Amino acid sequence: MSLEQLIRERRTIRKFNASPVSQKLVMELLLKAEQLCPYEGEARWRYVYAGTPEAREKLASYVSEKIMDSKMARLTLNKLMKSFHKRFMEAPANIIAVVKTDPDPIKKKEAYGTLCRILQNFQLLAWEQRLGMVWITGPAPFIQSEQFHKRIGLQKDEQFVGLLQIGYFDKVPKGRTRTHAERLWTAIES
Ligand SMILES: Cc1cc2nc3c(=O)[nH]c(=O)nc-3n(C[C@H](O)[C@H](O)[C@H](O)COP(=O)(O)O)c2cc1C
């Protein structure tokens, strides 16, 4: 498969089949993704992995527990919570990508950008092996909550970048239309 074809054909996968995913493979692909990514300075990120059914159950409960504290929310969000829980239990492997913040705003942005590039490399390398994933940043307050970040062990000087749910799949969803690059282009006139 050519590089262009790989980039073009990769799709976000939200529905996984029951095939198990090897932690070793995920780690190898992630390390390779890191090695293939250009960056300045030292690595300022880390990953939290949840692959066993027990770990996934924990992760699912971390997402919902703050919300389920409230009786009102329990009643209104019950259906949503159930579908969220199901999604977590159906994803064989989960990676949480975490970056260190920096008092220097430029360094902070650079580290965040680098980790995003690594994750995209990882998505592509995994796709080559027919391993799919969805990169999740929302919705708030499930994923973007202080409680969830505390539970997954985020330190004060760390920022959550994304949760990747990973697994094998049977069906590839259709791609979405993209904004044409020309519409995003401004040339400085001479
Ligand atoms: C930074 C980032 C954040 C995303 N957050 C979510 C999310 O919170 N929930 C979700 O279902 N998909 C999420 N996605 C997946 C996108 O919806 C998906 O990439 C987009 O629809 C394009 O589809 P494709 O990856 O198949 O090209 C995210 C993707 C990226 C790159």
Side-chain angles (χ1 to χ4, degrees), residues 99-140:
V99 71
K100 260 213 160 63
T101 55
D102 197 293
D104 177 343
I106 294 179
K107 276 193 180 158
K108 184 179 163 182
K109 279 186 205 163
E110 276 181 356
Y112 187 92
T114 303
L115 184 51
C116 290
R117 292 199 302 279
I118 292 170
L119 297 181
Q120 178 60 6
N121 279 358
F122 173 60
Q123 293 204 91
L124 292 169
L125 290 168
W127 189 259
E128 246 186 340
Q129 312 272 330
R130 303 293 294 163
L131 192 55
M133 68 188 75
V134 53
W135 177 337
I136 298 178
T137 51

Short mmCIF file of all heavy atoms in Angstrom, two decimals, residues 99-140:
data_model
loop_
_atom_site.label_atom_id
_atom_site.label_comp_id
_atom_site.label_asym_id
_atom_site.label_seq_id
_atom_site.Cartn_x
_atom_site.Cartn_y
_atom_site.Cartn_z
N VAL A 99 0.49 14.52 28.13
CA VAL A 99 1.68 15.33 27.88
C VAL A 99 1.99 16.21 29.09
O VAL A 99 1.07 16.63 29.80
CB VAL A 99 1.49 16.20 26.60
CG1 VAL A 99 0.49 17.32 26.81
CG2 VAL A 99 2.80 16.75 26.09
N LYS A 100 3.27 16.46 29.30
CA LYS A 100 3.69 17.35 30.40
C LYS A 100 3.46 18.78 29.97
O LYS A 100 3.78 19.15 28.84
CB LYS A 100 5.19 17.15 30.67
CG LYS A 100 5.47 16.27 31.84
CD LYS A 100 6.75 16.71 32.55
CE LYS A 100 6.80 16.19 33.95
NZ LYS A 100 6.83 14.76 34.06
N THR A 101 2.91 19.58 30.85
CA THR A 101 2.75 21.00 30.52
C THR A 101 4.08 21.69 30.79
O THR A 101 4.97 21.10 31.40
CB THR A 101 1.63 21.65 31.36
OG1 THR A 101 1.93 21.43 32.72
CG2 THR A 101 0.28 21.08 31.03
N ASP A 102 4.20 22.92 30.33
CA ASP A 102 5.47 23.65 30.52
C ASP A 102 5.13 25.11 30.79
O ASP A 102 4.21 25.66 30.16
CB ASP A 102 6.31 23.51 29.24
CG ASP A 102 7.76 23.86 29.48
OD1 ASP A 102 8.05 25.07 29.75
OD2 ASP A 102 8.59 22.95 29.44
N PRO A 103 5.85 25.76 31.69
CA PRO A 103 5.57 27.19 31.93
C PRO A 103 5.82 28.02 30.67
O PRO A 103 5.21 29.07 30.49
CB PRO A 103 6.57 27.57 33.04
CG PRO A 103 7.28 26.34 33.44
CD PRO A 103 6.89 25.21 32.54
N ASP A 104 6.69 27.53 29.80
CA ASP A 104 6.93 28.24 28.54
C ASP A 104 5.83 27.84 27.54
O ASP A 104 5.76 26.68 27.14
CB ASP A 104 8.32 27.82 28.01
CG ASP A 104 8.64 28.45 26.66
OD1 ASP A 104 7.72 28.92 25.97
OD2 ASP A 104 9.83 28.44 26.29
N PRO A 105 4.96 28.81 27.14
CA PRO A 105 3.81 28.45 26.29
C PRO A 105 4.24 27.84 24.95
O PRO A 105 3.51 27.01 24.40
CB PRO A 105 3.06 29.77 26.10
CG PRO A 105 3.97 30.84 26.57
CD PRO A 105 4.99 30.24 27.48
N ILE A 106 5.40 28.24 24.45
CA ILE A 106 5.83 27.69 23.16
C ILE A 106 6.19 26.21 23.32
O ILE A 106 5.75 25.36 22.56
CB ILE A 106 7.00 28.50 22.56
CG1 ILE A 106 6.48 29.89 22.22
CG2 ILE A 106 7.57 27.82 21.30
CD1 ILE A 106 7.50 30.83 21.65
N LYS A 107 6.97 25.93 24.37
CA LYS A 107 7.35 24.53 24.62
C LYS A 107 6.11 23.68 24.86
O LYS A 107 6.03 22.52 24.44
CB LYS A 107 8.27 24.46 25.84
CG LYS A 107 9.70 24.73 25.52
CD LYS A 107 10.56 24.33 26.69
CE LYS A 107 12.04 24.58 26.40
NZ LYS A 107 12.82 24.70 27.60
N LYS A 108 5.16 24.24 25.58
CA LYS A 108 3.92 23.51 25.89
C LYS A 108 3.17 23.14 24.60
O LYS A 108 2.77 22.00 24.41
CB LYS A 108 3.04 24.40 26.79
CG LYS A 108 1.78 23.75 27.27
CD LYS A 108 1.01 24.66 28.16
CE LYS A 108 -0.41 24.16 28.27
NZ LYS A 108 -1.26 25.02 29.08
N LYS A 109 3.04 24.13 23.71
CA LYS A 109 2.33 23.87 22.44
C LYS A 109 3.09 22.87 21.59
O LYS A 109 2.50 22.02 20.93
CB LYS A 109 2.17 25.18 21.66
CG LYS A 109 1.01 26.02 22.13
CD LYS A 109 0.85 27.19 21.21
CE LYS A 109 0.17 28.35 21.90
NZ LYS A 109 0.34 29.61 21.22
N GLU A 110 4.42 23.00 21.58
CA GLU A 110 5.23 22.10 20.75
C GLU A 110 5.08 20.64 21.21
O GLU A 110 4.93 19.74 20.40
CB GLU A 110 6.71 22.50 20.79
CG GLU A 110 7.01 23.60 19.78
CD GLU A 110 8.48 24.00 19.76
OE1 GLU A 110 9.25 23.49 20.59
OE2 GLU A 110 8.83 24.84 18.93
N ALA A 111 5.12 20.45 22.54
CA ALA A 111 4.99 19.08 23.07
C ALA A 111 3.61 18.50 22.74
O ALA A 111 3.49 17.34 22.34
CB ALA A 111 5.24 19.08 24.58
N TYR A 112 2.58 19.33 22.88
CA TYR A 112 1.21 18.89 22.58
C TYR A 112 1.11 18.50 21.08
O TYR A 112 0.59 17.44 20.73
CB TYR A 112 0.22 20.02 22.91
CG TYR A 112 -1.22 19.62 22.80
CD1 TYR A 112 -1.91 19.13 23.91
CD2 TYR A 112 -1.91 19.73 21.59
CE1 TYR A 112 -3.24 18.76 23.81
CE2 TYR A 112 -3.24 19.36 21.49
CZ TYR A 112 -3.89 18.88 22.61
OH TYR A 112 -5.20 18.51 22.51
N GLY A 113 1.67 19.37 20.24
CA GLY A 113 1.64 19.11 18.79
C GLY A 113 2.40 17.84 18.45
O GLY A 113 1.96 17.05 17.61
N THR A 114 3.55 17.64 19.11
CA THR A 114 4.34 16.44 18.81
C THR A 114 3.56 15.18 19.17
O THR A 114 3.51 14.23 18.39
CB THR A 114 5.67 16.46 19.60
OG1 THR A 114 6.38 17.65 19.27
CG2 THR A 114 6.53 15.26 19.24
N LEU A 115 2.94 15.20 20.33
CA LEU A 115 2.20 14.01 20.75
C LEU A 115 1.05 13.73 19.77
O LEU A 115 0.79 12.57 19.42
CB LEU A 115 1.70 14.16 22.19
CG LEU A 115 0.98 12.96 22.78
CD1 LEU A 115 1.76 11.66 22.62
CD2 LEU A 115 0.67 13.18 24.26
N CYS A 116 0.40 14.78 19.29
CA CYS A 116 -0.67 14.58 18.30
C CYS A 116 -0.10 13.96 17.02
O CYS A 116 -0.73 13.07 16.43
CB CYS A 116 -1.36 15.90 17.97
SG CYS A 116 -2.37 16.53 19.32
N ARG A 117 1.08 14.37 16.62
CA ARG A 117 1.68 13.78 15.41
C ARG A 117 2.02 12.31 15.64
O ARG A 117 1.84 11.48 14.77
CB ARG A 117 2.94 14.56 15.00
CG ARG A 117 2.68 15.97 14.52
CD ARG A 117 3.85 16.51 13.71
NE ARG A 117 5.10 16.52 14.44
CZ ARG A 117 5.47 17.47 15.32
NH1 ARG A 117 4.64 18.46 15.59
NH2 ARG A 117 6.64 17.42 15.92
N ILE A 118 2.54 12.02 16.84
CA ILE A 118 2.86 10.62 17.17
C ILE A 118 1.59 9.78 17.10
O ILE A 118 1.57 8.67 16.54
CB ILE A 118 3.50 10.52 18.58
CG1 ILE A 118 4.88 11.16 18.57
CG2 ILE A 118 3.58 9.06 19.04
CD1 ILE A 118 5.50 11.33 19.95
N LEU A 119 0.51 10.32 17.65
CA LEU A 119 -0.74 9.54 17.66
C LEU A 119 -1.25 9.30 16.23
O LEU A 119 -1.79 8.24 15.94
CB LEU A 119 -1.80 10.24 18.52
CG LEU A 119 -1.46 10.38 20.01
CD1 LEU A 119 -2.59 11.05 20.77
CD2 LEU A 119 -1.12 9.03 20.65
N GLN A 120 -1.06 10.30 15.37
CA GLN A 120 -1.50 10.10 13.98
C GLN A 120 -0.62 9.05 13.29
O GLN A 120 -1.12 8.19 12.57
CB GLN A 120 -1.50 11.43 13.21
CG GLN A 120 -1.90 11.31 11.74
CD GLN A 120 -3.30 10.76 11.51
OE1 GLN A 120 -4.06 10.54 12.45
NE2 GLN A 120 -3.65 10.51 10.27
N ASN A 121 0.70 9.11 13.53
CA ASN A 121 1.59 8.06 13.00
C ASN A 121 1.12 6.69 13.48
O ASN A 121 1.08 5.73 12.72
CB ASN A 121 3.03 8.26 13.51
CG ASN A 121 3.81 9.30 12.73
OD1 ASN A 121 3.31 9.86 11.76
ND2 ASN A 121 5.03 9.57 13.16
N PHE A 122 0.78 6.64 14.76
CA PHE A 122 0.34 5.38 15.37
C PHE A 122 -0.94 4.87 14.69
O PHE A 122 -1.06 3.69 14.37
CB PHE A 122 0.13 5.62 16.87
CG PHE A 122 -0.49 4.48 17.60
CD1 PHE A 122 0.13 3.24 17.64
CD2 PHE A 122 -1.69 4.63 18.28
CE1 PHE A 122 -0.44 2.17 18.33
CE2 PHE A 122 -2.26 3.57 18.97
CZ PHE A 122 -1.64 2.34 18.98
N GLN A 123 -1.88 5.79 14.44
CA GLN A 123 -3.13 5.38 13.77
C GLN A 123 -2.82 4.76 12.41
O GLN A 123 -3.42 3.77 12.03
CB GLN A 123 -4.05 6.59 13.57
CG GLN A 123 -4.60 7.19 14.83
CD GLN A 123 -5.91 7.95 14.58
OE1 GLN A 123 -6.98 7.38 14.68
NE2 GLN A 123 -5.81 9.21 14.26
N LEU A 124 -1.86 5.36 11.70
CA LEU A 124 -1.54 4.87 10.36
C LEU A 124 -0.79 3.54 10.41
O LEU A 124 -1.10 2.62 9.64
CB LEU A 124 -0.70 5.93 9.61
CG LEU A 124 -1.46 7.20 9.25
CD1 LEU A 124 -0.50 8.28 8.75
CD2 LEU A 124 -2.54 6.94 8.20
N LEU A 125 0.18 3.42 11.32
CA LEU A 125 0.92 2.16 11.44
C LEU A 125 -0.02 1.02 11.86
O LEU A 125 0.12 -0.11 11.40
CB LEU A 125 2.06 2.31 12.46
CG LEU A 125 3.22 3.21 12.03
CD1 LEU A 125 4.12 3.52 13.21
CD2 LEU A 125 4.03 2.56 10.91
N ALA A 126 -0.95 1.35 12.74
CA ALA A 126 -1.91 0.33 13.18
C ALA A 126 -2.83 -0.07 12.02
O ALA A 126 -3.12 -1.26 11.82
CB ALA A 126 -2.73 0.87 14.35
N TRP A 127 -3.25 0.93 11.24
CA TRP A 127 -4.14 0.65 10.10
C TRP A 127 -3.49 -0.31 9.11
O TRP A 127 -4.15 -1.18 8.53
CB TRP A 127 -4.52 1.97 9.41
CG TRP A 127 -5.59 1.79 8.38
CD1 TRP A 127 -5.44 1.71 7.03
CD2 TRP A 127 -6.99 1.64 8.63
NE1 TRP A 127 -6.65 1.53 6.41
CE2 TRP A 127 -7.62 1.49 7.37
CE3 TRP A 127 -7.78 1.63 9.79
CZ2 TRP A 127 -9.00 1.32 7.25
CZ3 TRP A 127 -9.15 1.46 9.66
CH2 TRP A 127 -9.74 1.30 8.40
N GLU A 128 -2.18 -0.16 8.94
CA GLU A 128 -1.44 -1.07 8.06
C GLU A 128 -1.59 -2.52 8.51
O GLU A 128 -1.49 -3.44 7.73
CB GLU A 128 0.05 -0.70 8.12
CG GLU A 128 0.60 -0.16 6.83
CD GLU A 128 2.10 0.03 6.88
OE1 GLU A 128 2.66 0.13 7.99
OE2 GLU A 128 2.70 0.09 5.80
N GLN A 129 -1.79 -2.70 9.84
CA GLN A 129 -1.95 -4.05 10.41
C GLN A 129 -3.42 -4.42 10.57
O GLN A 129 -3.77 -5.32 11.34
CB GLN A 129 -1.33 -4.11 11.82
CG GLN A 129 0.04 -3.52 11.95
CD GLN A 129 1.11 -4.55 11.66
OE1 GLN A 129 0.91 -5.73 11.90
NE2 GLN A 129 2.23 -4.11 11.14
N ARG A 130 -4.29 -3.64 9.95
CA ARG A 130 -5.77 -3.83 10.06
C ARG A 130 -6.25 -3.68 11.50
O ARG A 130 -7.21 -4.34 11.93
CB ARG A 130 -6.20 -5.19 9.50
CG ARG A 130 -5.81 -5.44 8.05
CD ARG A 130 -6.52 -4.57 7.07
NE ARG A 130 -7.96 -4.81 6.99
CZ ARG A 130 -8.83 -3.95 6.44
NH1 ARG A 130 -8.42 -2.79 5.97
NH2 ARG A 130 -10.12 -4.24 6.39
N LEU A 131 -5.57 -2.83 12.22
CA LEU A 131 -5.97 -2.53 13.60
C LEU A 131 -6.57 -1.12 13.59
O LEU A 131 -5.93 -0.18 13.14
CB LEU A 131 -4.71 -2.59 14.48
CG LEU A 131 -4.86 -2.59 15.99
CD1 LEU A 131 -5.76 -3.71 16.47
CD2 LEU A 131 -3.48 -2.74 16.64
N GLY A 132 -7.81 -1.03 14.06
CA GLY A 132 -8.50 0.26 13.99
C GLY A 132 -8.58 0.95 15.33
O GLY A 132 -8.30 0.35 16.37
N MET A 133 -9.00 2.22 15.29
CA MET A 133 -9.15 2.94 16.56
C MET A 133 -9.98 4.20 16.39
O MET A 133 -10.18 4.68 15.28
CB MET A 133 -7.78 3.29 17.15
CG MET A 133 -6.99 4.31 16.40
SD MET A 133 -5.32 4.46 17.08
CE MET A 133 -4.53 2.98 16.47
N VAL A 134 -10.45 4.67 17.55
CA VAL A 134 -11.08 5.99 17.60
C VAL A 134 -10.32 6.82 18.63
O VAL A 134 -10.01 6.34 19.71
CB VAL A 134 -12.60 5.91 17.92
CG1 VAL A 134 -12.89 5.11 19.18
CG2 VAL A 134 -13.21 7.32 18.05
N TRP A 135 -10.03 8.04 18.25
CA TRP A 135 -9.34 9.00 19.12
C TRP A 135 -10.43 9.83 19.79
O TRP A 135 -11.19 10.50 19.11
CB TRP A 135 -8.44 9.85 18.24
CG TRP A 135 -7.66 10.96 18.88
CD1 TRP A 135 -7.93 11.61 20.04
CD2 TRP A 135 -6.47 11.56 18.34
NE1 TRP A 135 -6.98 12.57 20.26
CE2 TRP A 135 -6.07 12.56 19.23
CE3 TRP A 135 -5.72 11.36 17.19
CZ2 TRP A 135 -4.97 13.37 19.02
CZ3 TRP A 135 -4.62 12.17 16.98
CH2 TRP A 135 -4.24 13.15 17.89
N ILE A 136 -10.52 9.75 21.09
CA ILE A 136 -11.62 10.42 21.81
C ILE A 136 -11.08 11.56 22.68
O ILE A 136 -10.14 11.38 23.46
CB ILE A 136 -12.37 9.40 22.70
CG1 ILE A 136 -13.00 8.30 21.83
CG2 ILE A 136 -13.43 10.07 23.52
CD1 ILE A 136 -13.71 7.24 22.63
N THR A 137 -11.71 12.72 22.53
CA THR A 137 -11.36 13.83 23.43
C THR A 137 -12.60 14.30 24.20
O THR A 137 -12.50 15.13 25.09
CB THR A 137 -10.80 15.03 22.65
OG1 THR A 137 -11.70 15.33 21.59
CG2 THR A 137 -9.42 14.76 22.10
N GLY A 138 -13.75 13.82 23.79
CA GLY A 138 -14.98 14.28 24.43
C GLY A 138 -15.95 13.13 24.53
O GLY A 138 -15.60 12.01 24.21
N PRO A 139 -17.19 13.35 24.97
CA PRO A 139 -17.67 14.68 25.33
C PRO A 139 -17.34 15.03 26.79
O PRO A 139 -17.15 14.14 27.61
CB PRO A 139 -19.20 14.53 25.17
CG PRO A 139 -19.45 13.08 25.45
CD PRO A 139 -18.23 12.34 24.99
N ALA A 140 -17.24 16.36 27.02
CA ALA A 140 -17.17 16.82 28.40
C ALA A 140 -18.57 16.60 28.96
O ALA A 140 -19.55 16.70 28.21
CB ALA A 140 -16.80 18.30 28.42
#
